[in-house]
Amino acid sequence: MKYLGITLERPKIGVFDFTGCEGCQLQIANKEETLTDLFGLVEVVNFREISSERRNDYEVAFVEGSITTDNEVARLKKIRIQAKILVAMGACACLGGVNNLRSRFPLPDVVKEVYGGHPVDTGPVRKVTEVVPVDIELPGCPISKPEFEWVVRHLVLGIEPQFPKYPVCVECKQRLNSCVLDMGMMCLGPITRAGCNAVCPRNRFGCWGCRGPSDEANFKSLMEILGERGFSEEHISERINFFNAFSGLSQ
């Protein structure tokens, strides 16, 4: 394969799921009109959701989900050894995500509430970086397929992807969206990393912070503004802790 006269390699990729809903993998499989071009750039050797092929000679590993069991820790470490590049994909892999909500309660109580007396193998919720080194974090819940394809193009060209450092608010203003905060909705757009094209505010939903904090996020200022606008501490706490995205800022 050549691009601008340059011969490009098709890296072998594997896509792996851990504790999560597999919605990020579904995002990749969706939008069929771009699949042919996407899979023309890479060789898929291990991707349970779309193929029965199972090979372990992948060079790039995309990992979805948080890590919650000893078996998952061992499996992830094995993937890390094989992969030259490991991409944590989605809010659960990058932040702990929705799964982290259970960390508010004693684990035995959570297991009993969900599974009753049925024994399950589970443990504390960990993001991927708490277990192995990660080369690239692709945020979002779920991930954006155009952004996934953008990352793949960078990997093929050997260029390090540079994610936006500014907040979702900037993308909202660029699109001339009406401010959902001004409409009376809770929104974390002022402190959340952009790159989603403000998909939630654009559809009249306040941002939930699934992409993690933007650089130089003024967390304290937003909390003051939300308080002045009448949002209760309980409501604010529920929103900022939902994806475990601001744990370092909200202390």
Side-chain angles (χ1 to χ4, degrees):
M1 180 175 59
K2 285 191 174 184
Y3 176 74
L4 298 178
I6 303 171
T7 300
L8 300 176
E9 300 294 333
R10 290 179 68 213
K12 298 182 180 70
I13 73 164
V15 181
F16 304 95
D17 55 279
F18 287 80
T19 300
C21 69
E22 302 190 19
C24 293
Q25 295 179 76
L26 191 59
Q27 282 289 92
I28 300 171
N30 273 337
K31 199 180 174 187
E32 290 86 351
E33 63 267 29
T34 64
L35 280 178
T36 301
D37 290 338
L38 174 63
F39 293 143
L41 291 175
V42 295
E43 182 181 354
V44 179
V45 301
N46 201 322
F47 188 172
R48 183 179 59 83
E49 202 161 284
I50 68 168
S51 171
S52 58
E53 184 165 14
R54 298 285 185 275
R55 285 164 45 194
N56 292 318
D57 57 339
Y58 48 86
E59 300 158 304
V60 181
F62 292 89
V63 173
E64 179 195 29
S66 55
I67 312 304
T68 60
T69 69
D70 291 341
N71 286 336
E72 287 186 338
V73 169
R75 179 170 166 246
L76 178 59
K77 289 181 175 178
K78 190 174 180 181
I79 291 170
R80 175 68 273 190
I81 290 171
Q82 169 60 33
K84 295 177 181 175
I85 298 173
L86 190 147
V87 182
M89 183 172 68
C92 291
C94 297
L95 305 169
V98 175
N99 293 319
N100 196 68
L101 290 173
R102 76 182 198 191
S103 301
R104 303 178 187 179
F105 310 98
L107 185 56
D109 293 351
V110 173
V111 172
K112 182 179 179 182
E113 181 69 22
V114 177
Y115 299 101
H118 185 76
V120 295
D121 177 21
T122 189
V125 176
R126 284 157 287 188
K127 49 190 175 184
V128 173
T129 53
E130 292 180 285
V131 181
V132 299
V134 169
D135 300 297
I136 298 171
E137 288 188 324
L138 176 59
C141 181
I143 61 166
S144 155
K145 183 171 181 180
E147 193 172 36
F148 173 82
E149 293 169 338
W150 172 79
V151 168
V152 168
R153 288 196 298 272
H154 278 68
L155 292 174
V156 171
L157 293 171
I159 302 171
E160 182 181 356
Q162 300 293 326
F163 292 91
K165 297 180 180 180
Y166 48 82
V168 171
C169 256
V170 173
E171 291 182 332
C172 232
K173 299 301 182 187
Q174 289 173 334
R175 289 177 168 272
L176 304 179
N177 294 337
S178 298
C179 179
V180 294
L181 258 179
D182 288 341
M183 297 179 187
M185 301 178 197
M186 173 84 74
C187 183
L188 302 184
I191 59 172
T192 300
R193 182 181 298 278
C196 58
N197 289 321
V199 60
C200 291
R202 191 172 75 241
N203 289 284
R204 299 293 188 268
F205 293 104
C207 173
W208 284 72
C210 70
R211 296 179 61 85
S214 60
D215 283 15
E216 301 180 357
N218 194 337
F219 185 83
K220 181 180 177 182
S221 178
L222 179 62
M223 295 305 104
E224 291 174 354
I225 290 172
L226 294 178
E228 291 169 0
R229 298 203 176 199
F231 295 105
S232 68
E233 290 187 8
E234 181 181 7
H235 191 179
I236 295 171
S237 176
E238 179 187 35
R239 181 65 64 95
I240 64 174
N241 291 313
F242 192 79
F243 285 106
N244 194 39
F246 304 99
S247 57
L249 300 175
S250 59
Q251 302 299 321

